[in-house]
Short mmCIF file of all heavy atoms in Angstrom, two decimals:
data_model
loop_
_atom_site.label_atom_id
_atom_site.label_comp_id
_atom_site.label_asym_id
_atom_site.label_seq_id
_atom_site.Cartn_x
_atom_site.Cartn_y
_atom_site.Cartn_z
N MET O 1 22.08 2.06 8.26
CA MET O 1 21.16 0.96 8.53
C MET O 1 19.72 1.43 8.28
O MET O 1 19.36 2.55 8.66
CB MET O 1 21.32 0.48 9.98
CG MET O 1 20.60 -0.85 10.21
SD MET O 1 21.06 -1.56 11.79
CE MET O 1 20.15 -0.53 12.92
N ALA O 2 18.96 0.60 7.65
CA ALA O 2 17.57 0.97 7.34
C ALA O 2 16.73 0.96 8.59
O ALA O 2 16.85 0.07 9.44
CB ALA O 2 17.02 -0.02 6.33
N ASP O 3 15.89 1.94 8.73
CA ASP O 3 15.07 1.98 9.94
C ASP O 3 13.60 2.21 9.64
O ASP O 3 12.79 2.25 10.54
CB ASP O 3 15.59 3.06 10.88
CG ASP O 3 15.51 4.44 10.28
OD1 ASP O 3 15.51 4.56 9.07
OD2 ASP O 3 15.45 5.39 11.04
N TYR O 4 13.23 2.36 8.37
CA TYR O 4 11.84 2.63 8.06
C TYR O 4 11.48 2.05 6.72
O TYR O 4 12.18 2.26 5.73
CB TYR O 4 11.60 4.15 8.07
CG TYR O 4 10.18 4.53 7.70
CD1 TYR O 4 9.11 4.22 8.53
CD2 TYR O 4 9.91 5.19 6.51
CE1 TYR O 4 7.82 4.55 8.18
CE2 TYR O 4 8.63 5.54 6.16
CZ TYR O 4 7.57 5.21 7.00
OH TYR O 4 6.30 5.55 6.65
N GLU O 5 10.39 1.32 6.67
CA GLU O 5 9.93 0.76 5.42
C GLU O 5 8.74 1.57 4.91
O GLU O 5 7.76 1.75 5.63
CB GLU O 5 9.52 -0.70 5.62
CG GLU O 5 10.68 -1.63 5.86
CD GLU O 5 10.24 -3.07 5.94
OE1 GLU O 5 9.31 -3.35 6.70
OE2 GLU O 5 10.81 -3.88 5.22
N LYS O 6 8.86 2.00 3.68
CA LYS O 6 7.81 2.82 3.09
C LYS O 6 7.07 2.03 2.00
O LYS O 6 7.68 1.49 1.09
CB LYS O 6 8.45 4.08 2.48
CG LYS O 6 7.42 5.05 1.92
CD LYS O 6 8.12 6.24 1.32
CE LYS O 6 7.08 7.17 0.70
NZ LYS O 6 7.72 8.22 -0.09
N LEU O 7 5.76 2.01 2.13
CA LEU O 7 4.93 1.30 1.17
C LEU O 7 4.99 1.99 -0.19
O LEU O 7 4.85 3.22 -0.28
CB LEU O 7 3.49 1.25 1.67
CG LEU O 7 2.49 0.46 0.83
CD1 LEU O 7 2.84 -1.01 0.81
CD2 LEU O 7 1.08 0.68 1.35
N VAL O 8 5.21 1.22 -1.22
CA VAL O 8 5.30 1.78 -2.58
C VAL O 8 4.27 1.09 -3.47
O VAL O 8 4.12 -0.14 -3.45
CB VAL O 8 6.72 1.54 -3.16
CG1 VAL O 8 6.80 2.07 -4.59
CG2 VAL O 8 7.76 2.23 -2.30
N TRP O 9 3.58 1.87 -4.27
CA TRP O 9 2.55 1.36 -5.17
C TRP O 9 3.05 1.50 -6.60
O TRP O 9 3.52 2.56 -6.99
CB TRP O 9 1.27 2.17 -4.97
CG TRP O 9 0.19 1.90 -5.97
CD1 TRP O 9 -0.54 0.74 -6.06
CD2 TRP O 9 -0.31 2.77 -6.97
NE1 TRP O 9 -1.47 0.86 -7.09
CE2 TRP O 9 -1.35 2.10 -7.66
CE3 TRP O 9 0.01 4.07 -7.35
CZ2 TRP O 9 -2.05 2.67 -8.70
CZ3 TRP O 9 -0.69 4.65 -8.41
CH2 TRP O 9 -1.71 3.95 -9.07
N ASN O 10 2.94 0.41 -7.37
CA ASN O 10 3.39 0.40 -8.75
C ASN O 10 2.19 0.55 -9.68
O ASN O 10 1.41 -0.39 -9.89
CB ASN O 10 4.15 -0.90 -9.04
CG ASN O 10 4.82 -0.88 -10.41
OD1 ASN O 10 4.30 -0.30 -11.35
ND2 ASN O 10 5.95 -1.53 -10.51
N GLU O 11 2.04 1.73 -10.22
CA GLU O 11 0.87 2.05 -11.06
C GLU O 11 0.78 1.18 -12.30
O GLU O 11 -0.31 0.83 -12.75
CB GLU O 11 0.93 3.54 -11.45
CG GLU O 11 -0.24 3.96 -12.33
CD GLU O 11 -0.31 5.46 -12.54
OE1 GLU O 11 0.64 6.17 -12.14
OE2 GLU O 11 -1.30 5.93 -13.10
N THR O 12 1.93 0.82 -12.88
CA THR O 12 1.90 0.07 -14.12
C THR O 12 1.44 -1.36 -13.92
O THR O 12 1.02 -2.01 -14.87
CB THR O 12 3.29 0.07 -14.82
OG1 THR O 12 4.23 -0.55 -13.93
CG2 THR O 12 3.75 1.49 -15.12
N ILE O 13 1.53 -1.87 -12.70
CA ILE O 13 1.12 -3.25 -12.40
C ILE O 13 -0.29 -3.31 -11.85
O ILE O 13 -1.05 -4.25 -12.11
CB ILE O 13 2.10 -3.92 -11.40
CG1 ILE O 13 3.51 -3.94 -11.97
CG2 ILE O 13 1.65 -5.34 -11.07
CD1 ILE O 13 4.55 -4.46 -10.99
N CYS O 14 -0.69 -2.31 -11.09
CA CYS O 14 -1.96 -2.32 -10.37
C CYS O 14 -3.14 -2.53 -11.30
O CYS O 14 -3.28 -1.87 -12.34
CB CYS O 14 -2.14 -1.00 -9.63
SG CYS O 14 -3.71 -0.85 -8.77
N ALA O 15 -4.05 -3.45 -10.87
CA ALA O 15 -5.25 -3.73 -11.64
C ALA O 15 -6.46 -2.98 -11.11
O ALA O 15 -7.55 -3.10 -11.64
CB ALA O 15 -5.51 -5.25 -11.60
N GLY O 16 -6.27 -2.22 -10.05
CA GLY O 16 -7.35 -1.40 -9.50
C GLY O 16 -8.45 -2.19 -8.83
O GLY O 16 -9.58 -1.70 -8.72
N CYS O 17 -8.14 -3.40 -8.34
CA CYS O 17 -9.17 -4.29 -7.79
C CYS O 17 -9.70 -3.82 -6.44
O CYS O 17 -10.80 -4.19 -6.04
CB CYS O 17 -8.61 -5.70 -7.66
SG CYS O 17 -7.28 -5.83 -6.45
N GLY O 18 -8.92 -3.06 -5.71
CA GLY O 18 -9.36 -2.55 -4.40
C GLY O 18 -9.17 -3.49 -3.23
O GLY O 18 -9.58 -3.19 -2.12
N ILE O 19 -8.54 -4.63 -3.48
CA ILE O 19 -8.32 -5.60 -2.39
C ILE O 19 -7.45 -4.98 -1.29
O ILE O 19 -7.69 -5.17 -0.10
CB ILE O 19 -7.68 -6.89 -2.93
CG1 ILE O 19 -8.72 -7.66 -3.76
CG2 ILE O 19 -7.14 -7.77 -1.79
CD1 ILE O 19 -8.15 -8.88 -4.49
N CYS O 20 -6.43 -4.22 -1.70
CA CYS O 20 -5.56 -3.59 -0.70
C CYS O 20 -6.36 -2.66 0.21
O CYS O 20 -6.19 -2.67 1.43
CB CYS O 20 -4.44 -2.83 -1.40
SG CYS O 20 -5.00 -1.67 -2.65
N GLU O 21 -7.22 -1.88 -0.39
CA GLU O 21 -8.06 -0.95 0.38
C GLU O 21 -8.92 -1.70 1.38
O GLU O 21 -9.02 -1.31 2.54
CB GLU O 21 -8.92 -0.15 -0.59
CG GLU O 21 -9.80 0.88 0.08
CD GLU O 21 -10.58 1.72 -0.92
OE1 GLU O 21 -10.18 1.82 -2.10
OE2 GLU O 21 -11.61 2.29 -0.53
N ARG O 22 -9.50 -2.80 0.95
CA ARG O 22 -10.39 -3.57 1.82
C ARG O 22 -9.61 -4.35 2.89
O ARG O 22 -10.14 -4.66 3.95
CB ARG O 22 -11.25 -4.54 1.00
CG ARG O 22 -12.27 -3.82 0.13
CD ARG O 22 -13.33 -4.77 -0.43
NE ARG O 22 -12.79 -5.73 -1.40
CZ ARG O 22 -12.61 -5.48 -2.69
NH1 ARG O 22 -12.89 -4.27 -3.16
NH2 ARG O 22 -12.13 -6.38 -3.49
N SER O 23 -8.36 -4.69 2.61
CA SER O 23 -7.60 -5.51 3.56
C SER O 23 -6.87 -4.68 4.59
O SER O 23 -6.40 -5.23 5.59
CB SER O 23 -6.59 -6.39 2.79
OG SER O 23 -5.60 -5.59 2.18
N CYS O 24 -6.76 -3.38 4.39
CA CYS O 24 -5.99 -2.55 5.32
C CYS O 24 -6.73 -2.43 6.66
O CYS O 24 -7.88 -2.00 6.70
CB CYS O 24 -5.77 -1.15 4.74
SG CYS O 24 -4.84 -0.07 5.84
N PRO O 25 -6.08 -2.83 7.75
CA PRO O 25 -6.71 -2.78 9.06
C PRO O 25 -6.76 -1.38 9.68
O PRO O 25 -7.42 -1.18 10.70
CB PRO O 25 -5.85 -3.71 9.92
CG PRO O 25 -4.49 -3.62 9.30
CD PRO O 25 -4.72 -3.39 7.82
N SER O 26 -6.05 -0.45 9.07
CA SER O 26 -6.03 0.91 9.61
C SER O 26 -7.42 1.56 9.47
O SER O 26 -8.13 1.32 8.51
CB SER O 26 -4.99 1.72 8.84
OG SER O 26 -4.99 3.07 9.30
N GLU O 27 -7.78 2.34 10.46
CA GLU O 27 -9.08 2.99 10.45
C GLU O 27 -8.94 4.49 10.70
O GLU O 27 -8.52 4.87 11.80
CB GLU O 27 -9.97 2.35 11.52
CG GLU O 27 -11.44 2.68 11.44
CD GLU O 27 -12.08 2.29 10.14
OE1 GLU O 27 -11.97 1.13 9.75
OE2 GLU O 27 -12.67 3.18 9.51
N PRO O 28 -9.22 5.35 9.72
CA PRO O 28 -9.64 5.02 8.35
C PRO O 28 -8.52 4.39 7.54
O PRO O 28 -7.37 4.42 7.98
CB PRO O 28 -10.03 6.39 7.79
CG PRO O 28 -9.17 7.36 8.53
CD PRO O 28 -9.03 6.78 9.93
N GLY O 29 -8.84 3.85 6.42
CA GLY O 29 -7.86 3.10 5.63
C GLY O 29 -6.66 3.95 5.23
O GLY O 29 -6.79 5.12 4.86
N ALA O 30 -5.49 3.33 5.29
CA ALA O 30 -4.27 4.03 4.92
C ALA O 30 -4.04 4.02 3.42
O ALA O 30 -3.27 4.81 2.90
CB ALA O 30 -3.07 3.42 5.63
N ILE O 31 -4.73 3.10 2.72
CA ILE O 31 -4.59 3.05 1.27
C ILE O 31 -6.00 3.05 0.67
O ILE O 31 -6.85 2.25 1.06
CB ILE O 31 -3.75 1.83 0.82
CG1 ILE O 31 -3.60 1.83 -0.72
CG2 ILE O 31 -4.32 0.51 1.30
CD1 ILE O 31 -2.50 0.90 -1.20
N VAL O 32 -6.20 3.97 -0.25
CA VAL O 32 -7.52 4.12 -0.88
C VAL O 32 -7.33 4.16 -2.38
O VAL O 32 -6.46 4.88 -2.88
CB VAL O 32 -8.21 5.42 -0.40
CG1 VAL O 32 -9.55 5.61 -1.10
CG2 VAL O 32 -8.41 5.40 1.12
N ILE O 33 -8.11 3.37 -3.10
CA ILE O 33 -8.05 3.37 -4.56
C ILE O 33 -9.11 4.34 -5.06
O ILE O 33 -10.31 4.15 -4.83
CB ILE O 33 -8.29 1.97 -5.15
CG1 ILE O 33 -7.24 0.98 -4.62
CG2 ILE O 33 -8.25 2.03 -6.67
CD1 ILE O 33 -5.82 1.27 -5.05
N THR O 34 -8.66 5.40 -5.71
CA THR O 34 -9.56 6.42 -6.24
C THR O 34 -9.31 6.55 -7.74
O THR O 34 -8.20 6.89 -8.14
CB THR O 34 -9.34 7.76 -5.54
OG1 THR O 34 -9.46 7.57 -4.14
CG2 THR O 34 -10.35 8.80 -5.98
N GLU O 35 -10.33 6.26 -8.52
CA GLU O 35 -10.22 6.34 -9.98
C GLU O 35 -9.00 5.59 -10.48
O GLU O 35 -8.25 6.08 -11.32
CB GLU O 35 -10.21 7.79 -10.45
CG GLU O 35 -11.55 8.50 -10.14
CD GLU O 35 -11.54 9.98 -10.52
OE1 GLU O 35 -10.50 10.47 -10.96
OE2 GLU O 35 -12.58 10.62 -10.37
N GLY O 36 -8.81 4.39 -9.94
CA GLY O 36 -7.72 3.52 -10.39
C GLY O 36 -6.35 3.86 -9.84
O GLY O 36 -5.38 3.19 -10.20
N LYS O 37 -6.28 4.87 -9.00
CA LYS O 37 -4.98 5.22 -8.44
C LYS O 37 -4.98 5.00 -6.93
O LYS O 37 -5.96 5.33 -6.26
CB LYS O 37 -4.64 6.68 -8.74
CG LYS O 37 -4.37 6.94 -10.21
CD LYS O 37 -3.83 8.34 -10.42
CE LYS O 37 -3.61 8.66 -11.89
NZ LYS O 37 -2.55 7.88 -12.52
N ALA O 38 -3.88 4.50 -6.42
CA ALA O 38 -3.76 4.28 -4.99
C ALA O 38 -3.27 5.54 -4.32
O ALA O 38 -2.29 6.15 -4.77
CB ALA O 38 -2.79 3.14 -4.72
N VAL O 39 -3.97 5.94 -3.27
CA VAL O 39 -3.52 7.06 -2.46
C VAL O 39 -3.16 6.50 -1.10
O VAL O 39 -4.00 5.90 -0.42
CB VAL O 39 -4.64 8.13 -2.34
CG1 VAL O 39 -4.17 9.28 -1.46
CG2 VAL O 39 -5.04 8.63 -3.72
N ILE O 40 -1.90 6.67 -0.72
CA ILE O 40 -1.42 6.12 0.53
C ILE O 40 -1.20 7.26 1.53
O ILE O 40 -0.52 8.23 1.22
CB ILE O 40 -0.08 5.36 0.34
CG1 ILE O 40 -0.27 4.22 -0.65
CG2 ILE O 40 0.45 4.85 1.68
CD1 ILE O 40 1.03 3.67 -1.21
N ASP O 41 -1.83 7.14 2.67
CA ASP O 41 -1.64 8.13 3.73
C ASP O 41 -0.62 7.56 4.71
O ASP O 41 -0.93 6.68 5.53
CB ASP O 41 -2.97 8.42 4.44
CG ASP O 41 -2.84 9.56 5.45
OD1 ASP O 41 -1.72 9.77 5.94
OD2 ASP O 41 -3.87 10.19 5.75
N TYR O 42 0.61 8.05 4.59
CA TYR O 42 1.68 7.48 5.41
C TYR O 42 1.52 7.78 6.89
O TYR O 42 2.14 7.11 7.72
CB TYR O 42 3.05 7.97 4.89
CG TYR O 42 3.38 7.37 3.54
CD1 TYR O 42 3.25 8.11 2.39
CD2 TYR O 42 3.76 6.04 3.45
CE1 TYR O 42 3.54 7.55 1.14
CE2 TYR O 42 4.04 5.46 2.21
CZ TYR O 42 3.92 6.23 1.07
OH TYR O 42 4.18 5.65 -0.14
N SER O 43 0.70 8.74 7.23
CA SER O 43 0.47 9.01 8.65
C SER O 43 -0.43 7.94 9.25
O SER O 43 -0.50 7.80 10.48
CB SER O 43 -0.17 10.39 8.82
OG SER O 43 -1.49 10.41 8.34
N LEU O 44 -1.13 7.17 8.41
CA LEU O 44 -2.01 6.11 8.90
C LEU O 44 -1.41 4.71 8.70
O LEU O 44 -1.77 3.77 9.39
CB LEU O 44 -3.36 6.17 8.17
CG LEU O 44 -4.18 7.45 8.38
CD1 LEU O 44 -5.35 7.47 7.42
CD2 LEU O 44 -4.65 7.55 9.83
N CYS O 45 -0.48 4.58 7.75
CA CYS O 45 0.10 3.28 7.44
C CYS O 45 1.16 2.90 8.46
O CYS O 45 2.09 3.66 8.70
CB CYS O 45 0.72 3.31 6.04
SG CYS O 45 1.62 1.80 5.61
N ASP O 46 1.00 1.72 9.08
CA ASP O 46 2.00 1.27 10.05
C ASP O 46 2.89 0.18 9.45
O ASP O 46 3.58 -0.53 10.18
CB ASP O 46 1.34 0.79 11.34
CG ASP O 46 0.47 -0.43 11.13
OD1 ASP O 46 0.39 -0.92 9.99
OD2 ASP O 46 -0.13 -0.90 12.12
N ALA O 47 2.85 0.06 8.12
CA ALA O 47 3.71 -0.88 7.40
C ALA O 47 3.52 -2.32 7.88
O ALA O 47 4.46 -3.08 7.99
CB ALA O 47 5.19 -0.47 7.49
N CYS O 48 2.26 -2.69 8.11
CA CYS O 48 1.96 -4.05 8.59
C CYS O 48 2.20 -5.10 7.51
O CYS O 48 2.42 -6.26 7.82
CB CYS O 48 0.53 -4.13 9.09
SG CYS O 48 -0.71 -4.02 7.76
N GLY O 49 2.09 -4.70 6.24
CA GLY O 49 2.38 -5.62 5.15
C GLY O 49 1.20 -6.45 4.67
O GLY O 49 1.35 -7.24 3.74
N ILE O 50 0.05 -6.28 5.27
CA ILE O 50 -1.12 -7.08 4.86
C ILE O 50 -1.48 -6.81 3.40
O ILE O 50 -1.68 -7.75 2.62
CB ILE O 50 -2.32 -6.79 5.78
CG1 ILE O 50 -2.02 -7.34 7.18
CG2 ILE O 50 -3.59 -7.42 5.21
CD1 ILE O 50 -3.10 -7.01 8.22
N CYS O 51 -1.54 -5.55 3.01
CA CYS O 51 -1.91 -5.23 1.62
C CYS O 51 -0.88 -5.77 0.64
O CYS O 51 -1.23 -6.20 -0.46
CB CYS O 51 -2.10 -3.73 1.45
SG CYS O 51 -0.63 -2.75 1.79
N VAL O 52 0.38 -5.78 1.04
CA VAL O 52 1.44 -6.30 0.17
C VAL O 52 1.19 -7.79 -0.09
O VAL O 52 1.32 -8.27 -1.22
CB VAL O 52 2.83 -6.09 0.82
CG1 VAL O 52 3.92 -6.75 0.00
CG2 VAL O 52 3.11 -4.60 0.96
N LYS O 53 0.79 -8.52 0.96
CA LYS O 53 0.51 -9.95 0.81
C LYS O 53 -0.77 -10.19 0.04
O LYS O 53 -0.87 -11.16 -0.71
CB LYS O 53 0.39 -10.61 2.19
CG LYS O 53 1.68 -10.68 2.97
CD LYS O 53 1.56 -11.67 4.13
CE LYS O 53 2.64 -11.46 5.17
NZ LYS O 53 2.27 -10.46 6.19
N GLU O 54 -1.76 -9.34 0.23
CA GLU O 54 -3.08 -9.56 -0.38
C GLU O 54 -3.14 -9.16 -1.86
O GLU O 54 -3.98 -9.67 -2.60
CB GLU O 54 -4.15 -8.80 0.40
CG GLU O 54 -4.38 -9.31 1.81
CD GLU O 54 -4.96 -10.72 1.81
OE1 GLU O 54 -5.83 -11.00 0.98
OE2 GLU O 54 -4.54 -11.52 2.66
N CYS O 55 -2.33 -8.24 -2.28
CA CYS O 55 -2.39 -7.78 -3.68
C CYS O 55 -2.12 -8.93 -4.63
O CYS O 55 -1.05 -9.56 -4.57
CB CYS O 55 -1.38 -6.66 -3.93
SG CYS O 55 -1.36 -6.14 -5.66
N PRO O 56 -3.06 -9.25 -5.53
CA PRO O 56 -2.93 -10.42 -6.39
C PRO O 56 -1.88 -10.27 -7.48
O PRO O 56 -1.43 -11.26 -8.05
CB PRO O 56 -4.33 -10.58 -7.00
CG PRO O 56 -4.93 -9.22 -6.94
CD PRO O 56 -4.37 -8.58 -5.69
N VAL O 57 -1.45 -9.03 -7.77
CA VAL O 57 -0.48 -8.85 -8.85
C VAL O 57 0.85 -8.28 -8.34
O VAL O 57 1.71 -7.86 -9.13
CB VAL O 57 -1.06 -7.95 -9.97
CG1 VAL O 57 -2.22 -8.63 -10.65
CG2 VAL O 57 -1.48 -6.60 -9.41
N LYS O 58 1.00 -8.23 -7.03
CA LYS O 58 2.22 -7.74 -6.39
C LYS O 58 2.58 -6.30 -6.84
O LYS O 58 3.73 -6.01 -7.19
CB LYS O 58 3.41 -8.69 -6.66
CG LYS O 58 3.14 -10.10 -6.13
CD LYS O 58 4.42 -10.87 -6.01
CE LYS O 58 4.23 -12.35 -5.68
NZ LYS O 58 3.18 -12.64 -4.71
N ALA O 59 1.57 -5.46 -6.83
CA ALA O 59 1.80 -4.06 -7.19
C ALA O 59 2.26 -3.24 -5.99
O ALA O 59 2.62 -2.07 -6.15
CB ALA O 59 0.52 -3.45 -7.76
N LEU O 60 2.23 -3.85 -4.81
CA LEU O 60 2.66 -3.15 -3.60
C LEU O 60 3.90 -3.81 -3.04
O LEU O 60 4.02 -5.04 -3.04
CB LEU O 60 1.54 -3.18 -2.55
CG LEU O 60 0.27 -2.39 -2.91
CD1 LEU O 60 -0.87 -2.79 -2.01
CD2 LEU O 60 0.52 -0.90 -2.86
N SER O 61 4.81 -2.98 -2.58
CA SER O 61 6.04 -3.50 -2.00
C SER O 61 6.56 -2.46 -1.00
O SER O 61 5.99 -1.39 -0.85
CB SER O 61 7.08 -3.75 -3.08
OG SER O 61 7.38 -2.54 -3.76
N PHE O 62 7.63 -2.83 -0.34
CA PHE O 62 8.23 -1.90 0.59
C PHE O 62 9.57 -1.41 0.08
O PHE O 62 10.37 -2.21 -0.41
CB PHE O 62 8.42 -2.54 1.98
CG PHE O 62 7.15 -2.67 2.75
CD1 PHE O 62 6.61 -3.91 3.03
CD2 PHE O 62 6.47 -1.55 3.19
CE1 PHE O 62 5.42 -4.03 3.73
CE2 PHE O 62 5.29 -1.65 3.91
CZ PHE O 62 4.76 -2.90 4.18
N ASP O 63 9.77 -0.12 0.21
CA ASP O 63 11.08 0.47 -0.04
C ASP O 63 11.67 0.74 1.33
O ASP O 63 11.02 1.34 2.17
CB ASP O 63 10.91 1.81 -0.76
CG ASP O 63 11.50 1.77 -2.16
OD1 ASP O 63 11.80 0.66 -2.63
OD2 ASP O 63 11.65 2.83 -2.75
N VAL O 64 12.87 0.28 1.54
CA VAL O 64 13.50 0.54 2.82
C VAL O 64 14.28 1.83 2.73
O VAL O 64 15.18 1.97 1.89
CB VAL O 64 14.39 -0.64 3.22
CG1 VAL O 64 15.06 -0.34 4.56
CG2 VAL O 64 13.58 -1.92 3.31
N LEU O 65 13.91 2.76 3.56
CA LEU O 65 14.60 4.05 3.57
C LEU O 65 15.63 4.07 4.67
O LEU O 65 15.41 3.56 5.76
CB LEU O 65 13.58 5.17 3.79
CG LEU O 65 12.39 5.21 2.84
CD1 LEU O 65 11.48 6.36 3.22
CD2 LEU O 65 12.85 5.36 1.41
N ALA O 66 16.76 4.62 4.36
CA ALA O 66 17.81 4.69 5.37
C ALA O 66 17.46 5.77 6.38
O ALA O 66 16.80 6.73 6.07
CB ALA O 66 19.14 4.97 4.73
S1 SF4 U 101 0.97 -1.80 5.03
FE1 SF4 U 101 -0.79 -2.26 6.40
S2 SF4 U 101 -1.39 -0.27 7.27
FE2 SF4 U 101 -0.12 0.15 5.46
S3 SF4 U 101 -1.58 0.41 3.76
FE3 SF4 U 101 -0.91 -1.75 3.79
S4 SF4 U 101 -2.45 -2.85 5.01
FE4 SF4 U 101 -2.65 -0.65 5.44
S1 SF4 U 102 -4.66 -5.01 -4.36
FE1 SF4 U 102 -2.98 -4.58 -5.81
S2 SF4 U 102 -3.94 -4.66 -7.85
FE2 SF4 U 102 -5.58 -4.44 -6.32
S3 SF4 U 102 -5.93 -2.21 -6.17
FE3 SF4 U 102 -4.48 -2.78 -4.56
S4 SF4 U 102 -2.41 -2.42 -5.48
FE4 SF4 U 102 -3.92 -2.50 -7.16
#
């Protein structure tokens, strides 16, 4: 049974807009766009899903890990 959802960033889809970074409620941000690449700090991400909803091109999703 799956018990943990891990945020996944799709580099080939991402437009580098930075909306995910600005929408993340974690402080400091759990997702940071640096030179067009998303860096996700899983120790800060609580898998709230806000960035997944806010991303205009659906480059973020959740992988469910068993
Ligand atoms: S899932 Fe929530 S906490 Fe994690 S990076 Fe996205 S907005 Fe931030
Ligand atoms: S909101 Fe989506 S397209 Fe914009 S930087 Fe984040 S992952 Fe990339």
Side-chain angles (χ1 to χ4, degrees):
M1 192 168 75
D3 62 335
Y4 176 67
E5 289 185 309
K6 184 181 177 190
L7 184 65
V8 178
W9 172 70
N10 188 326
E11 180 172 7
T12 61
I13 300 175
C14 177
C17 66
I19 289 173
C20 52
E21 182 176 339
R22 292 194 292 277
S23 67
C24 180
S26 177
E27 193 59 53
I31 182 165
V32 177
I33 301 295
T34 305
E35 295 177 357
K37 292 188 182 294
V39 178
I40 300 164
D41 186 335
Y42 290 104
S43 70
L44 297 170
C45 175
D46 65 1
C48 70
I50 291 175
C51 61
V52 174
K53 291 196 198 86
E54 293 294 320
C55 176
V57 294
K58 301 198 188 321
L60 293 165
S61 60
F62 285 113
D63 245 13
V64 179
L65 306 179

